[in-house]
Amino acid sequence: MTEPTLTILPESADDAIAIDRLHERTFGPGRLAKTAYRIREGAGHALALSFTARIGTLLVGSVRLTPVRIAGAPALLLGPLTVEPPFRERGIGQALIERALAEAKARGHRLVLLVGDEPYYGKCGFKRIPKGQVQMPGPVDPARLLVCELEEGAFDGVTGPIRPD
Ligand SMILES: CC(C)(COP(=O)(O)OP(=O)(O)OC[C@H]1O[C@@H](n2cnc3c(N)ncnc32)[C@H](O)[C@@H]1OP(=O)(O)O)[C@@H](O)C(=O)NCCC(=O)NCCS
């Protein structure tokens, strides 16, 4: 028998409950106190820029992008990114990021930020933000504050506080 294939689809409103459960299982209630969560709560993620991974009909992963502003400059905040434990280490996380970045670029976005592990996200083009260039509305380890330019030079001269858009 052949294994059902992986599909990456834009998130739909019907996915909300399954994704909330995935976040709860992965990050627990502590997720609600995180600085990035505060921003996401303020803006709400963009469904058209957020994606689910499915094996057959089973939702096995999710990535969300939320519109933000760095001072006046529009950007997107990536996260949470989550893959169900039995389906990890198969490239699903990278496939979700790549799809979200491609869609953001196609829609004219120029910058994507996140709070996460550089060794993982570096594979998709994220780099550490120089300390002090941007400020989150709460405590964040500066080594985990990363940016991906969807257009070369898009981050040049962009500085200031990150707020929900
Ligand atoms: C992080 C996560 C999304 C990765 O999903 P995945 O589908 O397993 O990732 P991929 O298959 O695309 O990539 C796996 C590779 O990344 C590496 N990797 C996974 N998490 C990593 C991390 N935090 N730091 C560095 N490398 C990491 C794996 O070791 C593996 O390396 P290899 O290709 O050399 O074997 C998944 O582990 C997860 O949901 N974790 C819990 C939630 C989380 O931490 N989310 C990210 C918030 S920063």
Side-chain angles (χ1 to χ4, degrees):
M1 212 168 79
T2 52
E3 242 192 67
T5 49
L6 173 74
T7 48
I8 307 282
L9 294 173
E11 184 181 326
S12 84
D14 293 343
D15 296 324
I17 291 173
I19 294 172
D20 275 355
R21 288 194 185 129
L22 178 59
H23 291 166
E24 171 63 29
R25 283 196 300 280
T26 309
F27 302 108
R31 73 193 189 285
L32 307 179
K34 286 189 176 161
T35 299
Y37 182 87
R38 247 186 269 169
I39 292 185
R40 292 196 279 264
E41 200 184 28
H45 61 287
L47 281 182
L49 295 171
S50 301
F51 291 88
T52 59
R54 289 170 194 277
I55 303 271
T57 56
L58 185 67
L59 190 150
V60 298
S62 155
V63 67
R64 285 176 163 171
L65 291 188
T66 298
V68 295
R69 279 190 180 262
I70 307 165
L76 296 163
L77 181 70
L78 185 149
L81 168 71
T82 328
V83 174
E84 289 281 16
F87 297 95
R88 289 180 189 169
E89 312 275 318
R90 301 179 182 198
I92 296 176
Q94 295 284 323
L96 280 166
I97 300 169
E98 279 165 20
R99 181 68 187 273
L101 294 183
E103 188 64 30
K105 188 171 179 167
R107 288 170 183 258
H109 293 278
R110 303 172 75 225
L111 282 177
V112 182
L113 311 179
L114 61 80
V115 181
D117 295 332
E118 189 185 17
Y120 183 72
Y121 290 102
K123 293 185 226 175
C124 291
F126 284 86
K127 293 184 180 129
R128 202 179 286 194
I129 295 177
K131 202 172 171 188
Q133 186 168 345
V134 300
Q135 298 89 43
M136 291 284 274
V140 166
D141 176 355
R144 292 171 52 78
L145 196 48
L146 312 179
V147 65
C148 177
E149 291 180 321
L150 299 178
E151 196 182 298
E152 209 183 318
F155 196 50
D156 293 351
V158 174
T159 181
I162 302 174
R163 301 268 181 254
D165 193 5

